[in-house]
Amino acid sequence: MAEQPWTERFRPRTLREVVGNEEAKDRFLEWLRSWEDGIPEKRAVLLYGPPGVGKTSLVVAAANDLGYDLLEVNASDYRTAKRLKEILGRASTQQVTVTGRRRLILIDELEGLSGREDRGGVEAILDLIRETRAPIILVATVYTSLREAWERKLRELMKLSLPIELRPIPVVEVIERLREIASRVGVEVEEEVLEELAIRSEGDLRTAINDLEAVARGRRRITLQDLEALGLRDRQLYAEEALRRLFTAKTLQEAKGIISSTQLNYDELIDWIYENIPYILDDPRELSEALEALARADIHKARAERSQAYRLLKYMFDELAGGVALSLERSQGLLGVVERHLRAMGIPLSLLKLEERPEGVSIAPVRYLGGDTWRRVNMAVRSLGGSWDREGRRWIVGYLRPPRIALRYWWSREKRRMLKSISSKVASRMHISTSRAVRDVIPILKVIFQSDPEMAEGIAEWMELDGDEVKWLSKG
Amino acid sequence: MSSEMWVEKYRPKSLDEMINQEEIVARLKRFVEERNLPHLLFVGPAGVGKTTAILALAHDLYGPDYRNYIMELNASDERGINVIREKVKFFARTAPIGDVPFKILIMDEADSLTADAQHALRRTMERYTRTCRFCLIGNYSERIIEPIQSRCSIFRFSPLSEEDVKRCLRMIAEKEGVEVSPEGYDAIYEESRGDLRKAINLLQAAAAASGRRVDADVVYAVLGRVSPGRVREMIQLSLKGEFIEARELLRSLLIDEGMAAEDILRMIYSEIMRLDIPERLKVRLSDAIGEVDYRLTQGSRPEIQLSALLAKLVLVGEEMRGGGAALD
Ligand SMILES: Nc1ncnc2c1ncn2[C@@H]1O[C@H](COP(=O)(O)OP(=O)(O)OP(=O)(O)O)[C@@H](O)[C@H]1O
Ligand SMILES: Nc1ncnc2c1ncn2[C@@H]1O[C@H](COP(=O)(O)OP(=O)(O)O)[C@@H](O)[C@H]1O
Ligand SMILES: [Mg+2]
Ligand SMILES: [Mg+2]
């Protein structure tokens, strides 16, 4: 038998193996179980969310665990309403199959027919739902950034069914699943590798597992260095190239050319620029103008995405090219930034020799510094992301650093979701508004959950916090 | 074992247990005896017993299953006056069973409603007077429209005294087996003043963080983890020209503390208004903050928008030091 890709090989067979989204899972199962007492009010569930979070897997695992006979179709394979009805019409009128097993209908990849030309398809599905005697599950892949537009489009389907959203899987859960897979295939993987893979996947477990398979192929042990093979290295090179050329561009036209020809996507490009601008522009006015231009570029991009009027992206181009790239005039680049920073930290520059080198700005003591001074310089350099090069007896601050914003922003979105659910529990039990709960009580809860497990346990029970919420509050 | 937050565990059940607010309590007790109530308006600062008083009154009036006779709404969490009216309508539709002919609707943070919403609420209050009494709660009576004020008995709650607060804290500490040094109590009171909710929460966090031995240092350590002092630090760093550090701090506020960008922005605003800088710069910064505030509603990335604002602060700082990059 040909070897299956790991994503298939480790597709969850049981509900227990489907990680994350506990609350959504519970609601889904509750609905499915409600069929045991007759046909419920909502005859269909609409599972939606970004790719690779386990939508299809959840249905397959539930069918397995609860003993359903799964009839699975892809909406996009039956582009005409007539075909869809032919396939599903009869099945949906029977609650059990000829073998006596209960029937479950899965209509996957619904997003394939969300367009206007598929009106008929949507109508056909609406009809099916109204009449079905077997549970129907609709599954749609919806990118978070397009959610609103999408919800508008499928409003009727959402109304007629019970919509359940699956969200990106939290990093810790991705790590755990990867660790389990690694141990089942018998590869030893450094913890940092798992973390890096999990973070990069942005909650998409399929991507994470694919990446793991790609690095693990033919290896027994994986270290962080092996990861570079996966492309971070490439991104870094592209970004270096793009940023270097951008900040030396002389005309708007030239800068736009660079932006449109880079291998990075717009988000990556904005992230890289954002991360590195303060290390390139040391002149306050130039820094301020460039960041403002970047912020405007970002807003143009957001508007384009929200309205799906992609022509608006050209304004983003202009801001990035004209506003950001052409901002560099007086600034001295990283050398200037380092000088300024050391001076601000009260370190006499006469003690050090600063110079630009291919690997970054080098900061070498001109004479023996003594422990205290050395430590002060070291701290200052480290806060710029630099480090001591023992052999060269100097510090090096690299020109570019990879962006952290995507990861961080993602965390904070995750966090906001948690805050919302925890704060509404706090609000109703403590007789305060949710915003006061966030401001005044959640910080208190965090202190408690991070220092007194016993007290925390009691409170968790009282507030009926779920596992994700407890984990979140307990995280440092 | 399930256990409540201390603020709830030690919330007085009955009016008799209330700390201070003596006149108010006496008047409320009379209502209980008469088994009748006007509409009520409670005003006063946070954590002084407003919610407690109405819950205790309901308890004394209806008995232990008083929850069946009241509904609590928080105006700042409800989506618009129409939703509120629907809920009230549903709640007040029927008279309660028993010897009290009305239910009580508690509307917290009523002073956050717009004047229009309050007018709409007033009509609703009138319509259901037969079966429902309203207890409106807020911080400022000036923010409640005249016509509502004139239909309610107004009760003004005052902050609790240092003695009251400390006595209450001591009682809780004793029951929970927490040792607190005198300086520990001072530190808690210093931060919370007459807001007993804040004081009790702080005591509980400090107890948790110290294995139940609280002194002033423990309290300050807890405060460092919860207070908005970090926003101030971020602004100061920016003004000093330390943009990179300021951005790190911003990240930590967004990520580690999970603060919403809007909240950070609000704090930045109030800090800046307090800064000792030329007024015209304040106006200019206020304009910039307003712009960021709007952009946040448009789906742009909060961190980038807030960073751009920090960079403007760097520029202001530079100007004030008389640097070359003067703002025009
Ligand atoms: N929650 C999860 N628990 C365990 N494994 C998962 C989970 N989510 C995804 N996977 C892994 O990723 C693979 C793909 O998952 P699945 O097909 O369920 O994704 P999906 O959400 O339906 O994505 P799409 O929207 O692209 O169809 C699975 O075979 C499994 O290996
Ligand atoms: N006057 C008081 N008597 C007793 N406890 C009080 C008093 N004021 C506040 N508290 C305590 O503080 C907490 C918050 O009080 P609460 O009545 O909810 O404040 P608010 O005035 O903001 O509505 C209560 O749980 C209670 O433990
Ligand atoms: Mg799928
Ligand atoms: Mg209250």
Side-chain angles (χ1 to χ4, degrees):
Chain A
M1 198 181 83
E3 199 165 308
Q4 288 181 307
W6 288 7
T7 50
E8 277 316 309
R9 192 167 150 203
F10 296 105
R11 183 183 281 282
R13 307 266 181 273
T14 65
L15 286 165
R16 199 193 51 78
E17 285 177 285
V18 180
V19 303
N21 287 300
E22 295 304 330
E23 200 195 322
K25 258 163 58 185
D26 286 348
R27 276 201 291 146
F28 172 68
L29 290 174
E30 193 184 313
W31 169 81
L32 197 51
R33 294 212 172 91
S34 76
W35 281 82
E36 286 163 18
D37 315 320
I39 297 178
E41 190 198 326
K42 299 277 186 189
R43 301 184 183 199
V45 149
L46 172 57
L47 286 178
Y48 66 105
V53 297
K55 298 181 297 296
T56 308
S57 299
L58 175 58
V59 180
V60 173
N64 255 346
D65 271 9
L66 304 184
Y68 276 98
D69 197 77
L70 188 66
L71 176 63
E72 193 177 342
V73 299
N74 279 340
S76 44
D77 292 348
Y78 302 94
R79 295 208 131 254
T80 67
K82 197 162 143 262
R83 284 285 292 142
L84 203 70
K85 275 197 171 145
E86 271 169 29
I87 299 289
L88 294 178
R90 185 140 40 86
S92 70
T93 60
Q94 307 162 333
Q95 275 178 320
V96 290
T97 64
V98 282
T99 56
R101 297 227 301 166
R102 290 173 302 168
R103 162 104 64 204
L104 185 62
I105 296 173
L106 165 61
I107 308 181
D108 207 344
E109 301 185 14
L110 202 66
E111 70 281 359
L113 53 66
S114 61
R116 203 165 290 147
E117 66 281 14
D118 277 329
R119 280 304 320 156
V122 175
E123 285 304 330
I125 292 175
L126 288 170
D127 279 348
L128 272 173
I129 298 177
R130 288 192 192 101
E131 284 152 25
T132 186
R133 300 174 56 76
I136 293 184
I137 296 154
L138 309 169
V139 171
T141 308
V142 179
Y143 290 86
T144 316
S145 61
L146 296 181
R147 203 176 80 195
E148 283 174 26
W150 192 86
E151 284 175 349
R152 270 198 303 280
K153 268 185 189 153
L154 288 190
R155 192 181 299 138
E156 290 152 281
L157 277 176
M158 289 203 129
K159 241 193 273 164
L160 199 58
S161 57
L162 173 68
I164 297 181
E165 184 180 5
L166 295 190
R167 308 248 184 183
I169 316 280
V171 171
V172 278
E173 308 265 12
V174 175
I175 292 176
E176 250 154 58
R177 183 74 184 157
L178 292 181
R179 191 185 291 125
E180 188 181 329
I181 291 176
S183 93
R184 271 161 69 177
V185 294
V187 255
E188 193 186 324
V189 187
E190 270 183 4
E191 195 62 23
E192 291 78 29
V193 173
L194 295 180
E195 267 171 36
E196 182 66 31
L197 289 173
I199 285 165
R200 255 194 258 165
S201 75
E202 302 202 350
D204 172 348
L205 200 46
R206 183 193 289 118
T207 297
I209 296 173
N210 274 333
D211 285 356
L212 178 67
E213 184 178 5
V215 263
R217 197 168 291 135
R219 291 203 176 81
R220 302 234 51 86
R221 225 184 94 74
I222 311 171
T223 64
L224 208 47
Q225 277 153 6
D226 300 326
L227 257 197
E228 296 193 343
L230 255 176
L232 183 63
R233 194 73 213 125
D234 291 346
R235 302 328 271 174
Q236 173 114 18
L237 288 176
Y238 295 146
E240 250 164 56
E241 161 92 3
L243 265 67
R244 194 175 40 73
R245 289 178 55 208
L246 255 182
F247 282 99
T248 50
K250 290 282 169 289
T251 65
L252 183 61
Q253 209 48 39
E254 192 188 341
K256 277 174 136 170
I258 295 161
I259 289 172
S260 56
S261 65
T262 170
Q263 310 265 0
L264 304 172
N265 66 37
Y266 303 144
D267 271 334
E268 283 177 308
L269 188 67
I270 291 182
D271 288 352
W272 277 88
I273 294 177
Y274 172 69
E275 191 67 42
N276 288 288
I277 272 189
Y279 297 90
I280 296 169
L281 302 176
D282 65 295
D283 179 77
R285 152 145 297 176
E286 288 178 9
L287 174 66
S288 170
E289 282 173 358
L291 268 171
E292 176 59 24
L294 188 70
R296 282 200 302 266
D298 184 56
I299 187 89
H300 286 305
K301 190 174 142 294
R303 287 179 185 150
E305 279 170 2
R306 276 166 81 94
S307 61
Q308 295 189 273
Y310 291 105
R311 64 173 190 283
L312 299 179
L313 284 175
K314 64 172 172 289
Y315 309 115
M316 176 199 78
F317 271 110
D318 288 339
E319 289 289 358
L320 281 182
V324 177
L326 302 183
S327 59
L328 185 129
E329 272 178 20
R330 272 193 300 258
S331 288
Q332 318 253 297
L334 185 59
L335 190 63
V337 173
V338 172
E339 266 183 31
R340 219 184 154 83
H341 183 68
L342 292 175
R343 217 178 291 125
M345 298 312 242
I347 294 162
L349 290 180
S350 57
L351 297 176
L352 305 162
K353 178 164 183 274
L354 273 57
E355 60 182 334
E356 284 179 317
R357 293 170 151 258
E359 67 274 27
V361 165
S362 136
I363 304 154
V366 289
R367 54 185 169 76
Y368 178 72
L369 288 182
D372 263 2
T373 313
W374 187 91
R375 266 191 295 278
R376 269 177 50 218
V377 180
N378 192 47
M379 249 175 54
V381 170
R382 290 185 75 99
S383 69
L384 290 175
S387 59
W388 177 249
D389 167 16
R390 192 179 300 220
E391 269 153 45
R393 307 208 47 75
R394 60 200 171 117
W395 289 273
I396 291 283
V397 181
Y399 289 112
L400 282 188
R401 51 229 81 225
R404 288 177 298 161
I405 183 170
L407 151 69
R408 295 194 158 236
Y409 179 56
W410 181 71
W411 270 108
S412 74
R413 206 165 48 200
E414 171 79 0
K415 193 158 285 188
R416 221 162 296 154
R417 184 170 66 81
M418 280 291 173
L419 277 177
K420 210 168 149 196
S421 76
I422 299 175
S423 65
S424 67
K425 291 181 183 180
V426 169
S428 72
R429 282 170 185 74
M430 298 181 71
H431 311 278
I432 51 178
S433 64
T434 51
S435 55
R436 191 187 282 276
V438 171
R439 220 179 47 224
D440 292 353
V441 180
I442 290 187
I444 295 284
L445 287 177
K446 281 184 155 184
V447 173
I448 295 173
F449 277 65
Q450 285 160 27
S451 41
D452 189 336
E454 202 181 320
M455 190 188 281
E457 203 187 314
I459 293 172
E461 198 168 311
W462 174 60
M463 289 208 203
E464 296 174 45
L465 299 177
D466 69 26
D468 285 349
E469 290 164 345
V470 170
K471 235 185 257 170
W472 186 81
L473 283 171
S474 315
K475 209 164 45 196
Chain B
M1 197 192 65
S2 146
S3 56
E4 296 164 276
M5 288 288 285
W6 293 352
V7 204
E8 291 313 309
K9 191 165 169 188
Y10 297 101
R11 186 192 286 280
K13 302 278 173 298
S14 152
L15 286 170
D16 286 326
E17 297 161 39
M18 292 271 306
I19 297 172
N20 213 319
Q21 316 294 12
E22 281 153 17
E23 278 168 47
I24 293 175
V25 170
R27 279 167 71 195
L28 295 179
K29 277 184 171 169
R30 217 161 319 126
F31 295 142
V32 174
E33 281 160 23
E34 292 164 5
R35 314 201 78 60
N36 200 1
L37 268 193
H39 292 310
L40 305 170
L41 174 57
F42 288 2
V43 290
V48 297
K50 301 183 299 297
T51 306
T52 304
I54 189 63
L55 294 175
L57 179 144
H59 169 272
D60 294 352
L61 187 65
Y62 300 110
D65 59 347
Y66 67 98
R67 299 229 140 262
N68 301 335
Y69 300 89
I70 64 173
M71 176 157 84
E72 278 182 89
L73 295 180
N74 194 299
S76 71
D77 279 338
E78 298 299 331
R79 272 188 248 139
I81 186 68
N82 287 329
V83 179
I84 293 181
R85 271 156 71 180
E86 281 308 305
K87 289 190 176 176
V88 173
K89 205 162 101 188
F90 187 77
F91 172 69
R93 200 175 32 133
T94 55
I97 329 165
D99 66 342
V100 184
F102 53 82
K103 308 179 185 177
I104 300 176
L105 188 127
I106 303 168
M107 171 79 70
D108 216 330
E109 304 200 19
D111 54 350
S112 70
L113 293 174
T114 61
D116 282 348
Q118 291 187 33
H119 280 291
L121 183 65
R122 186 193 103 193
R123 283 193 292 279
T124 310
M125 284 170 75
E126 274 158 4
R127 170 155 337 145
Y128 297 104
T129 299
R130 220 172 40 78
T131 51
C132 183
R133 296 292 182 276
F134 282 70
C135 176
L136 307 183
I137 301 181
N139 296 129
Y140 307 98
S141 59
E142 312 86 75
R143 292 200 198 149
I144 301 286
I145 56 170
E146 251 327 300
I148 286 192
Q149 289 199 34
S150 74
R151 279 167 179 75
C152 295
S153 289
I154 304 185
F155 291 78
R156 295 182 194 281
F157 287 67
S158 40
L160 297 171
S161 68
E162 178 164 355
E163 209 188 308
D164 286 336
V165 170
K166 284 187 177 168
R167 186 157 3 95
C168 178
L169 292 177
R170 251 184 235 113
M171 181 273 293
I172 295 176
E174 196 172 303
K175 292 208 173 134
E176 294 292 337
V178 186
E179 256 177 62
V180 186
S181 72
E183 296 74 26
Y185 284 122
D186 288 342
I188 295 178
Y189 178 73
E190 189 52 39
E191 175 66 20
S192 60
R193 297 291 160 150
D195 179 345
L196 198 48
R197 174 177 27 245
K198 215 178 207 176
I200 299 174
N201 276 332
L202 199 47
L203 174 68
Q204 185 166 13
S210 62
R212 310 207 169 210
R213 301 170 76 90
V214 176
D215 58 24
D217 286 342
V218 171
V219 176
Y220 293 133
V222 168
L223 282 176
R225 287 159 76 178
V226 303
S227 79
R230 305 182 74 196
V231 170
R232 196 167 308 158
E233 192 184 339
M234 178 176 79
I235 291 176
Q236 291 304 337
L237 281 169
S238 305
L239 289 171
K240 272 195 278 175
E242 293 290 305
F243 176 80
I244 291 173
E245 268 81 3
R247 184 172 73 171
E248 276 313 301
L249 204 52
L250 171 65
R251 286 179 158 168
S252 146
L253 290 170
L254 283 166
I255 313 318
D256 306 329
E257 301 194 10
M259 280 178 66
E262 290 79 1
D263 281 342
I264 297 179
L265 199 60
R266 200 172 310 128
M267 289 187 192
I268 293 179
Y269 178 83
S270 62
E271 272 305 311
I272 283 181
M273 288 300 138
R274 249 184 283 159
L275 281 179
D276 184 21
I277 58 174
E279 307 270 277
R280 75 189 166 84
L281 288 182
K282 286 191 185 174
V283 175
R284 182 192 214 90
L285 285 171
S286 159
D287 182 55
I289 294 173
E291 176 65 25
V292 172
D293 208 351
Y294 172 67
R295 288 183 193 168
L296 291 178
T297 66
Q298 300 292 297
S300 58
R301 275 180 284 187
E303 187 183 330
I304 292 183
Q305 299 299 337
L306 289 172
S307 277
L309 184 62
L310 295 183
K312 293 203 169 87
L313 284 171
V314 171
L315 203 51
V316 166
E318 184 83 0
E319 172 177 16
M320 293 196 317
R321 279 189 305 276
L327 272 180
D328 25 71

